[in-house]
């Protein structure tokens, strides 16, 4: 029971010390989350309050079901972008259908995460290789930043890919509002400075380090406050500055996702992508923070925690959420000791939802856009390109294709092609395993590559060592190689496949071994195996392979060579009961 | 040059002996191919002459570019079924658009094969694992046989899946023509008998073995002849027996495929499937026959040979072709020595195309359907189910999903889901590699699994051995395992990852090693590697990994343990220049 509801575990041991630490952390995170939640709702194409709602119940549900002590769940940049793309295909932004589709997406994503957790399918997330994620996040960061330029300039622009957005921006550039642009650029400049310069500046002013740090975290709130005040004080709305506008002053409402078959079927694939990408991002943050205190993260339980959070978002007017990097680090650094910090943050945001919304009316969209741009540009990191280039060209191909496709054709196809390329590249690499023809090191029981060592061979015996497990991607390659080698050697009588590095033989490879056996037999060559590992041999025995093989299966290569050399060259009454030779112990 | 046009090689050495052998083989194959070609055209939904045309130029082109001495190229059952399904989606059977779409499909398939050959992408065919192919061929055989029942019964039926076809047959059953059904069932019974009984029967009648064999091969032609004669003699057309009807009496016409973008884009995926499936079938036949004479098949050149054959089909009124199993075996058994036998077969079929077509008018469709059913039922083999069940449940899953989806949802989605399941299952299996915590065998330099051997360990040192290459599918699993192990051991100071079985580390796994290194360092644990293979170490050096790691990289595990035990427990001035430790020689 405790395993599935971690709160039962840490809840019992909760004390005043932890309470005070959690309260401080919650205060700092709440202040940070208010502008962030509003901004990511804007990015997802939803009304700003959806961002607040998506941060309240989801945080509480994660605190109950999740295993990380410090993870802060809520809307994050990449998931919000994916949300905008997915819903943009089924509804018009700003309509009621759009907001309901966001609920459906959160519901599907939550259900899929819970299902993966219950079925312990967390390994599916492994399909997203590191280069694909890195390339995708960088490309998404660029896409997100460009998508916000329209708010900074006060113009309209459309599209989900870089060329579309740029073309659209360029087309409407003449309508730019200078006042809006001034606010946007000023806030961006301020926020960039806050990131690096605010803390040292406050310390130089004489504030204690901890308070300075807090001050720096409050930078975005200050930007929101000042720019809102400016709009209100100077009546900038009449001068064309776009603001957030009317926001209902309420706690998260009870909402129902639309589960009609056509909406579900068109959002299913995006929901799966969002789930997997969100999970990978979240688990990586959770593990980093857990490692610092030697705590444990259970990936399958994390799936359930994140799934519950998304289901919560679906029923309380939110949209898909996941564990965010920056907010979690802030939560951890601020001293959060237990998930109770998350619960207090949720309470703080709920208070905000019922109090500050009248002020938010005057908040310029340009300020929110600036917040987003500054946040996502920290995601953009091209170093993965040079790193993979140096390390492995295959991985470089995966990164660059992911980036290029994401930027030019869109996020969903981008990440999908990245996954496809990774798998393709992996299969290609293992499809041509390293093989060596080996001979005997004189006066020893060792066998080595004939190209690298001075070894003894026999013209009628060929020994090939394969340095890889045999499976469908390389089974036919092995066949081709063996047939070629046999065709080149007219005196050949015996082929020995030496398997010390073969950890597994799947059905395709078994079929290939049977074909090899049969085809070599057609040209009068006997096929033997040596040094087969125990578990592999067990499977071969299951299907009576040792009885079908024309030659024998030897425990050691030395035994094989000794036996085959002893055999009189004209003797054709070779034992077929190869399994006699093998000692499975 | 000879490498790309094999005819230049065998053509120079051609002699009278080979000529006479090739002529005999060509005669036998021609007689066998006439009914087969007509029948597969019917299966593909095309006029019967298309089957003859698809066997003339393609055979000649394969003889020029292919590497197999005995492979006979032409329409085959599974490819014809795939053709019918693909074209059925874009045009109505019997229309001119349908025949042109078949040309387009052949053109796309030929181009794709040539492209794969030129780019040496034959490894793509490895995606089709043996269980997937076996399951797909059995399911296709069943689908094809059921699709022909309508011709046997003389009723109409529609659909591309088992439930659809059965429903449709059941619905129209009352319209069955008894005369047609009698012909169809009689021909089927005769052909089944011919397969097993004709040769022994003719030998018992006193005929020499070779002639008896030839007689048995001529069985289908006899069935065609007798049933055609019956229709003509008893005027069965007026009694409702459906016949082939008007067939133009001509050599293959010059035709042009329709390359309009919308047709190309809707046929591209089917064309790729047809190419890959046809290639896999063909290469397997070619290799079996080549092995008997220790000849060599070059898979990449085979792609070009088959591609040329399909391009030939596209421009001469044919449809997609590949190397057929039964006809190739007949060709080989009849003594074909060189691809010239194929050229003579083509000439024979061309003669047939301009002479026998008036006779074909009276050929009952039921006879052709019976020919198809008898041919494809030999493809149906459920033993793959029990074999995979015994050998590996993962492979069993792949077979059964392929079969089930092919039968119920169709051929294209069937083979695609088979491929997806194979890849998924492979990634799943390698995503949880075998790992062992190892300790030192007392008074030796050997390290063994602590669960199986009596070994020495240290409470502050943990050594984990991984028995698999590290890549994206298992990188995070390694992380999870290591974090768990570290979290359970409060006194831990050193973690050593022992890598004697790690043949490769991809970028994702490198990233995981870096994360492990960093996260262990956060909790005060040093991370070391031991027994890293040479090529893997070279890559790690490329990205300066040895400089980032908190611990060292040791050549041997024994060295690692000795060094770490020697270290005074309070000493924190550990050398960071780990690369000093590694001798890449």
């Amino acid at each position: 029971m405790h395993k599935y509801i971690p709160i039962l575990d840490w809840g019992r041991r909760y004390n005043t010390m932890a309470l005070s630490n959690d309260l401080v952390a919650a205060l700092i995170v709440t202040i940070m989350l208010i502008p962030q939640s509003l901004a990511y709702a804007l990015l997802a194409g939803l009304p700003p309050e959806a961002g607040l709602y998506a941060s309240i119940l989801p945080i509480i549900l994660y605190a109950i079901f999740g295993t990380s002590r410090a993870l802060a769940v809520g809307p994050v940049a990449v998931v919000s972008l994916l949300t905008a793309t997915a819903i943009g295909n089924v509804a018009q932004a700003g309509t009621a259908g759009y907001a309901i589709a966001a609920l459906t997406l959160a519901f599907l994503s939550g259900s899929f995460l819970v299902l993966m957790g219950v079925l312990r399918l967390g390994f599916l997330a492994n399909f997203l290789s590191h280069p694909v994620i890195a390339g995708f996040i960088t490309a998404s960061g660029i896409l997100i930043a460009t998508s916000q330029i329209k708010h900074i300039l006060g113009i309209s622009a459309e599209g989900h890919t870089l060329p579309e957005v740029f073309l659209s921006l360029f087309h409407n550039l003449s309508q730019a509002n200078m006042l809006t642009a001034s606010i946007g650029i000023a806030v961006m400049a301020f926020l960039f400075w806050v990131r690096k310069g605010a803390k040292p500046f406050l310390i130089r002013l004489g504030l204690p380090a901890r308070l300075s740090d807090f001050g720096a975290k409050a930078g975005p709130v200050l930007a929101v406050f000042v720019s809102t005040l400016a709009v209100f004080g100077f009546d900038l709305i009449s001068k064309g500055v776009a603001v957030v506008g009317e926001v209902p002053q309420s706690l998260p409402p009870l909402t129902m996702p639309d589960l009609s078959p056509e909406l579900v079927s068109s959002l299913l694939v995006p929901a799966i992508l969002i789930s997997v990408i969100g999970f990978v991002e979240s688990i990586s943050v959770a593990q980093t923070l857990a490692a610092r205190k030697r705590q444990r993260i259970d990936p399958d339980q994390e799936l359930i925690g994140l799934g519950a959070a998304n289901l919560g978002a679906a029923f309380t007017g939110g949209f898909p959420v996941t564990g965010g990097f920056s907010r979690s680090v802030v939560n951890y650094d601020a001293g959060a000791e237990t998930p109770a910090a998350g619960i207090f943050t949720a309470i703080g945001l709920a208070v905000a939802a019922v109090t500050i919304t009248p002020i938010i009316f005057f908040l310029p969209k340009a300020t929110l856009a600036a917040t987003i741009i500054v946040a996502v540009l920290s995601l953009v990191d091209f170093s993965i390109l040079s790193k993979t280039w140096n390390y492995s060209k295959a991985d470089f191909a995966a990164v660059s294709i992911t980036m290029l496709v994401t930027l030019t054709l869109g996020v969903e196809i981008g990440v999908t092609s990245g996954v496809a390329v990774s798998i393709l590249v992996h299969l290609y690499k293992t499809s041509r395993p390293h093989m060596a023809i080996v001979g005997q090191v004189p006066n020893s029981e060792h066998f080595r590559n004939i190209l690298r060592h001075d070894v003894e061979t026999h013209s009628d015996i060929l020994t090939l060592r394969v340095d890889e497990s045999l499976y469908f991607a390389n089974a036919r390659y092995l066949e081709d190689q063996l047939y070629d080698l046999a065709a080149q050697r007219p005196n050949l009588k015996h082929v020995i496949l030496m398997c010390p590095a073969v950890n597994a033989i799947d059905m395709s490879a078994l079929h290939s071994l049977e074909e090899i056996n049969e085809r070599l037999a057609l040209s009068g060559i006997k096929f033997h195996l040596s040094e087969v590992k125990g578990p592999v041999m067990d499977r071969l025995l299951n299907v009576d392979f040792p009885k079908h093989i024309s030659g024998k299966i030897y425990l050691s290569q030395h035994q094989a060579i000794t036996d085959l050399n002893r055999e009189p060259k004209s003797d054709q009454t070779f034992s077929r009961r190869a399994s006699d030779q093998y000692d499975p112990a």
Side-chain angles (χ1 to χ4, degrees), chain A residues 52-317:
Chain A
L52 291 174
Y53 300 160
S55 308
I56 297 174
L57 188 59
I59 290 183
I60 295 174
L61 288 171
Y62 179 82
I64 296 172
F65 294 103
T67 57
S68 167
R69 299 285 174 98
L71 195 72
V73 166
V76 307
V78 172
V79 167
S80 300
L81 172 70
L82 284 164
T83 300
T85 312
I87 309 178
N89 290 332
V90 299
Q92 192 68 37
T95 64
Y98 192 91
I100 289 174
L103 302 176
T104 305
L105 196 64
F107 178 83
L108 293 175
S109 169
S111 309
F112 184 72
L113 285 165
V114 169
L115 194 77
M116 289 219 301
V118 170
L119 300 178
R120 312 194 77 74
L121 291 177
F123 81 97
L124 281 177
N126 296 340
F127 282 174
L128 283 179
S129 69
H130 174 67
V132 169
I133 297 170
F136 178 70
I137 295 217
T138 288
S140 300
I142 297 170
L143 274 183
I144 294 170
T146 40
S147 77
Q148 297 306 306
I149 296 177
K150 62 178 178 188
H151 294 301
I152 299 282
L153 298 177
I155 61 183
S156 64
E158 302 213 323
H160 290 301
T161 69
L162 212 53
E164 281 169 16
V165 174
F166 270 123
L167 219 70
S168 180
L169 282 174
F170 188 74
H171 193 254
N172 298 329
L173 200 56
S174 58
Q175 295 151 28
N177 181 301
M178 284 307 133
L179 212 49
T180 306
S182 313
I183 296 174
I185 291 165
V187 172
M188 264 201 289
F190 173 71
L191 291 177
F192 274 120
W193 173 78
V194 160
R195 296 210 134 212
K196 304 265 172 185
K199 193 178 162 187
F201 175 77
L202 292 174
I203 289 175
R204 245 178 294 131
L205 285 187
L207 262 69
R210 203 177 153 98
L211 202 60
S212 303
D213 196 44
F214 179 77
K217 300 257 156 54
V221 168
L222 186 67
V224 164
F225 186 73
V226 171
S227 59
T228 305
L229 208 66
V231 169
F232 178 72
F234 304 112
D235 188 22
L236 299 182
I237 295 178
S238 69
K239 291 173 182 129
V241 172
V243 296
V244 167
E246 198 88 56
V247 172
Q249 193 166 2
S250 96
L251 284 175
L254 182 66
T255 53
M256 289 302 291
D258 171 5
L259 298 179
S260 65
E262 63 267 43
L263 189 62
V264 167
S265 71
S266 56
L267 290 180
L268 197 60
V269 172
I272 292 174
L273 281 180
I274 287 176
S275 307
V276 175
I277 291 170
F279 172 62
V280 169
E281 226 188 305
S282 181
I283 193 103
S284 142
V285 180
Q287 279 174 336
T288 302
L289 298 179
R292 297 197 194 168
K293 294 191 174 176
R294 293 206 188 186
Q295 288 162 352
R296 221 192 140 273
I297 298 295
D298 173 355
D300 288 313
Q301 183 60 32
E302 279 300 283
L303 285 165
I304 293 173
L306 291 175
N310 275 290
L311 290 174
F315 291 103
T316 56

Side-chain angles (χ1 to χ4, degrees), chain A residues 285-455:
Chain A
V285 180
Q287 279 174 336
T288 302
L289 298 179
R292 297 197 194 168
K293 294 191 174 176
R294 293 206 188 186
Q295 288 162 352
R296 221 192 140 273
I297 298 295
D298 173 355
D300 288 313
Q301 183 60 32
E302 279 300 283
L303 285 165
I304 293 173
L306 291 175
N310 275 290
L311 290 174
F315 291 103
T316 56
F319 58 99
V321 295
T322 195
F325 178 72
S326 54
R327 73 188 63 171
S328 301
V329 172
V330 167
N331 194 31
Y332 179 91
D333 287 347
E337 283 205 11
T338 73
I343 297 176
F344 301 141
T345 304
I347 295 171
L349 289 168
V351 171
V354 293
T355 53
I356 63 160
T357 46
I359 310 168
I360 290 176
F361 184 94
F362 296 99
L363 172 57
K365 285 187 173 176
T367 300
L368 290 181
T371 312
I372 294 175
I373 291 175
V374 173
V376 296
L377 285 185
S378 68
L379 301 177
V380 174
D381 177 7
F382 286 103
S383 72
I384 187 72
L385 283 172
S386 62
K387 196 164 180 190
T388 47
W389 178 261
N390 289 332
Y391 188 72
S392 137
K393 298 295 176 286
D395 284 307
F396 176 77
V399 182
S400 42
I401 287 173
T402 307
M403 276 194 188
L404 208 68
V405 177
T406 302
L407 288 175
T408 56
L409 299 175
V411 280
E412 288 170 9
I413 182 157
V415 74
T416 314
S417 28
V419 170
V421 169
S422 305
I423 293 175
L424 217 85
V425 156
H426 166 70
L427 293 181
Y428 179 71
K429 282 193 293 187
T430 53
S431 74
R432 285 149 194 256
H434 184 249
M435 295 184 188
I437 299 178
V438 298
Q440 190 165 15
V441 178
N443 306 316
S444 84
E445 298 196 357
H446 295 298
F447 290 77
R448 294 279 181 276
N449 192 338
I450 58 165
L451 300 178
R452 299 205 183 164
H453 298 85
D454 215 4
V455 289

